Amino acid sequence: MSESNIEMDNGSTSQKNTGEPSIVYKNIDVKTELESLVKLLDGKIYKEEEIAMEELHQYLIEDDGCWALSDNFLNFVGRIFKDMSFSPETRIHLIRALACAALNDDIIILLHQDRKEHTLMNFANDFDKQSPDEQRAWGTFMCNLFENPSSSEWLLYISEWQYNNQNISNLTVTTKVTVHCLLSNCPTLKDIGTSILFNLAIKDVKTVVFDDVAVELTMAILQFFNSNPSEVLVYRALRALVRFMEVSKDVGSFIQMIGPHPKTFLGMSERIDELVNLVISKIPV
């Protein structure tokens, strides 16, 4: 059975013009998210921030295009993210609204506007400090960025900046979020983590991009395999594992040394058997 025919709790697939379908999450009622956000922000934001909310409404409801978001919009987003006087629910509704925006091909305009302040990825780098609901919302946003080639490539940028005395990049943050989701006890986060892995696996990405993160993601996958995952999640993780074995000669050695060996999943399904045998064929003897 192909990935596009799998029933998932929260995800759906979207077919690209080239390659396989990415896994994205479209079951978000953007009107409800915006209405809830407006209520939570009532009387708590400045005039220019009210304008930013109007711009978001224009973009998501009136379909005006990303040009509707002014330079001040990311300042508004940054304050919601950083100002702890706003409730986690406020951030959740904003992020879920952004997850809807992430499905649009012109979201790359907003992402490029963030090249200086890195508002979005700095928040993502603090993923482990967020509430579970915030994590689920943010993971959905990042996964939905794989809907279009330009925004999926943005997730893998390797240019670094400093945040909290660390050098980070879009790729390292994407990796961090993926690992955290994979190793979470939350089923929804595991679903999101494997979805991001699958989306990474099907991208035509330069080998040099994955060189630095293939082993880290492999270690997370092997640990994830110990959590008794479902067939769907195993399939996505194995797809990623095959991809990482193609770009890093160290991956096969780690599989052999650390385990669990993917052959433990033989018999789970025909497509799992196919991937397991492919992995086995690539492990050094």
Side-chain angles (χ1 to χ4, degrees):
M1 183 169 59
S2 68
E3 180 70 19
S4 59
N5 292 325
I6 292 172
E7 292 186 4
M8 293 170 282
D9 291 339
N10 300 308
S12 62
T13 55
S14 177
Q15 181 66 54
K16 297 285 189 300
N17 291 327
T18 59
E20 296 184 67
S22 295
I23 302 173
V24 297
Y25 297 83
K26 295 185 177 182
N27 62 336
I28 302 173
D29 187 338
V30 67
K31 290 184 179 180
T32 298
E33 301 300 335
L34 290 176
E35 288 170 0
S36 300
L37 186 57
V38 168
K39 290 178 183 177
L40 287 166
L41 292 175
D42 187 31
K44 298 180 181 179
I45 57 176
Y46 307 121
K47 180 62 179 178
E48 58 267 28
E49 293 171 331
E50 292 176 358
I51 295 173
M53 274 299 303
E54 292 172 4
E55 293 170 351
L56 186 60
H57 185 276
Q58 284 180 286
Y59 181 33
L60 293 177
I61 303 299
E62 299 177 20
D63 200 25
D64 277 0
C66 199
W67 62 266
L69 304 179
S70 67
D71 292 340
N72 187 59
F73 178 75
L74 282 168
N75 293 332
F76 161 69
V77 171
R79 191 162 92 89
I80 302 300
F81 285 173
K82 296 173 187 176
D83 190 339
M84 291 298 105
S85 67
F86 293 111
S87 66
E89 287 75 19
T90 304
R91 287 185 287 277
I92 290 163
H93 289 300
L94 174 58
I95 296 165
R96 285 176 62 82
L98 291 174
C100 292
L103 296 169
N104 298 331
D105 59 4
D106 63 354
I107 189 65
I108 192 63
I109 296 173
L110 178 66
L111 301 178
H112 282 166
Q113 287 175 343
D114 200 27
R115 283 179 294 185
K116 182 178 179 181
E117 298 298 330
H118 303 287
T119 299
L120 299 172
M121 278 310 203
N122 285 344
F123 180 77
N125 195 62
D126 291 331
F127 191 82
D128 53 335
K129 302 173 185 175
Q130 298 165 15
S131 70
D133 285 339
E134 287 175 286
Q135 290 176 344
R136 285 189 282 268
W138 190 260
T140 300
F141 167 73
M142 291 189 70
C143 203
N144 282 0
L145 288 174
F146 282 97
E147 171 73 349
N148 296 288
S150 57
S151 52
S152 61
E153 289 170 6
W154 179 85
L155 286 169
L156 307 180
Y157 286 176
I158 59 175
S159 298
E160 293 185 335
W161 68 94
Q162 193 166 77
Y163 177 65
N164 287 345
N165 298 317
Q166 287 182 303
N167 288 327
I168 61 175
S169 67
N170 287 10
L171 178 60
T172 59
V173 175
T174 299
T175 302
K176 179 178 181 177
V177 171
T178 306
V179 169
H180 188 96
C181 288
L182 271 181
L183 303 184
S184 170
N185 292 323
C186 171
T188 302
L189 286 177
K190 284 184 181 294
D191 184 85
I192 290 170
T194 57
S195 295
I196 295 175
L197 276 178
F198 179 86
N199 291 341
L200 289 171
I202 65 174
K203 295 300 170 190
D204 183 17
V205 181
K206 292 180 180 179
T207 302
V208 67
V209 173
F210 280 144
D211 277 350
D212 292 336
V213 301
V215 170
E216 181 179 356
L217 288 170
T218 295
M219 298 287 281
I221 290 171
L222 294 175
Q223 190 173 341
F224 162 77
F225 280 159
N226 284 314
S227 66
N228 193 30
S230 66
E231 192 272 351
V232 171
L233 305 192
V234 171
Y235 174 75
R236 297 175 193 165
L238 282 173
R239 282 298 313 274
L241 206 54
V242 170
R243 177 73 172 111
F244 299 148
M245 293 182 81
E246 293 172 352
V247 301
S248 173
K249 64 178 187 287
D250 296 325
V251 168
S253 299
F254 275 102
I255 294 172
Q256 192 172 40
M257 288 188 300
I258 298 173
H261 199 287
K263 66 183 179 182
T264 59
F265 297 111
L266 283 171
M268 181 173 274
S269 71
E270 184 178 339
R271 65 178 186 168
I272 294 294
D273 289 353
E274 182 180 341
L275 287 175
V276 169
N277 288 325
L278 189 56
V279 169
I280 292 173
S281 71
K282 294 178 180 293
I283 293 178
V285 179

